[in-house]
Amino acid sequence: PRALEAAARNVTADYSQLVELVDEFFESTEGGEELRGKFTAYLADRAARGVTQLERGLDWVIYLYKLALPFLALKLLTRGRPGKAAEEEEVGGEDL
C-alpha cells in the first residue's frame, strides 16, 4: 500500500485528479469495465460500514477542540491570577 501511495503522490495529491487517473486506467485496460464495477462495489461496501461517517464526526470534534483550546487555556491561565484589587486588599490587610 505504501508503494501505491508513493506512486500516486508522485503524480498528484488531489483526489479528484487521482479519480481521473484511475478512470483512465480502467478505460485503457482490457476488462476495465468489469474491474471498474468491482472497484465501485468495493468502495460502496466500505462506505456502507459507517466508519467514514464516524471519522468525519470525529474530525469535526477535533477541529472544534483545536479551535476552542487556545481560548480555554487563556481562560484557565487568567483564572489563577488574582486581579490588582485583590492584591491591594491583601497588602492593606497586612498593615493591620
Side-chain angles (χ1 to χ4, degrees), residues 35-52:
L35 283 174
R36 183 193 320 252
K38 287 181 180 181
F39 187 63
T40 303
Y42 171 77
L43 291 177
D45 181 53
R46 291 292 301 251
R49 293 183 189 174
V51 176
T52 304

Side-chain angles (χ1 to χ4, degrees), residues 5-75:
E5 181 180 353
R9 287 190 185 272
N10 282 337
V11 177
T12 184
D14 180 32
Y15 284 113
S16 296
Q17 189 175 6
L18 182 60
V19 169
E20 289 177 20
L21 289 170
V22 171
D23 195 42
E24 287 176 21
F25 173 77
F26 287 139
E27 289 175 2
S28 66
T29 304
E30 187 175 325
E33 288 303 317
E34 183 181 344
L35 283 174
R36 183 193 320 252
K38 287 181 180 181
F39 187 63
T40 303
Y42 171 77
L43 291 177
D45 181 53
R46 291 292 301 251
R49 293 183 189 174
V51 176
T52 304
Q53 293 175 355
L54 177 63
E55 286 177 352
R56 287 182 186 152
L58 291 175
D59 284 344
W60 270 104
V61 170
I62 291 171
Y63 171 76
L64 292 174
Y65 178 75
K66 286 180 179 179
L67 186 66
L69 184 63
F71 297 110
L72 293 173
L74 187 62
K75 186 173 182 177

